[in-house]
Amino acid sequence: MNERGSVTAFVVIMTSALLAMAGLVIDGGYALAAHRRAFNEAEAAARAGAQAVDLDTLRATGDVVLDAGEAERRALEYLAALDRSGSVEVDGDVVRVHLSFEHGLVLLDAFGVGPMTIEGDGEARAVRGVTEAST
């Protein structure tokens, strides 16, 4: 019985399997980090938008109300500075941001697994500053 080349086939199969497992570990870690980054960027963009308080209304009534157009502009400007795209929703004193971007894979790309779409959501509320001293 001729068994020439059987070790070579075994090595090729095992090497491919080990590279696929390493790809799952490495690309999985990078994907988790990308999800965290998307969340952080969306939260930061929402905080940038929540700074667009309508000062005239605040001074006249004491109510914290956002200038919706300015809040959206600030949040989108923040995302653009990060080279990200997304959507902004302003509801009263709350700014919600949703962003998404493509994340390339390092090792799994060799196995035909293409880039992942990473999404993140953030929310921020505009509030008044401290008005009373604590006891």
Side-chain angles (χ1 to χ4, degrees):
M1 188 156 143
N2 187 1
E3 295 183 9
R4 285 184 85 183
S6 62
V7 172
T8 303
F10 176 77
V11 169
V12 168
I13 291 170
M14 288 304 292
T15 302
S16 298
L18 287 173
L19 280 174
M21 291 300 291
L24 288 173
V25 171
I26 292 170
D27 287 330
Y30 285 149
L32 288 173
H35 279 286
R36 172 57 54 196
R37 187 173 62 246
F39 171 77
N40 289 341
E41 291 171 353
E43 287 282 324
R47 285 192 300 270
Q51 293 178 18
V53 174
D54 184 345
L55 294 178
D56 293 333
T57 302
L58 179 64
R59 289 179 183 137
T61 66
D63 295 332
V64 177
V65 177
L66 290 175
D67 177 345
E70 180 65 13
E72 182 176 354
R73 186 192 67 76
R74 286 183 183 201
L76 290 173
E77 190 175 88
Y78 187 90
L79 290 177
L82 298 173
D83 197 27
R84 301 279 189 245
S85 62
S87 61
V88 177
E89 176 188 337
V90 180
D91 183 19
D93 63 346
V94 177
V95 179
R96 291 180 187 87
V97 175
H98 176 82
L99 66 85
S100 64
F101 58 90
E102 293 294 314
H103 173 71
L105 302 176
V106 177
L107 289 177
L108 291 179
D109 188 44
F111 293 94
V113 179
M116 297 176 62
T117 299
I118 305 293
E119 297 184 5
D121 293 301
E123 179 177 297
R125 179 179 305 271
V127 296
R128 285 183 65 177
V130 176
T131 58
E132 297 178 10
S134 62
T135 56

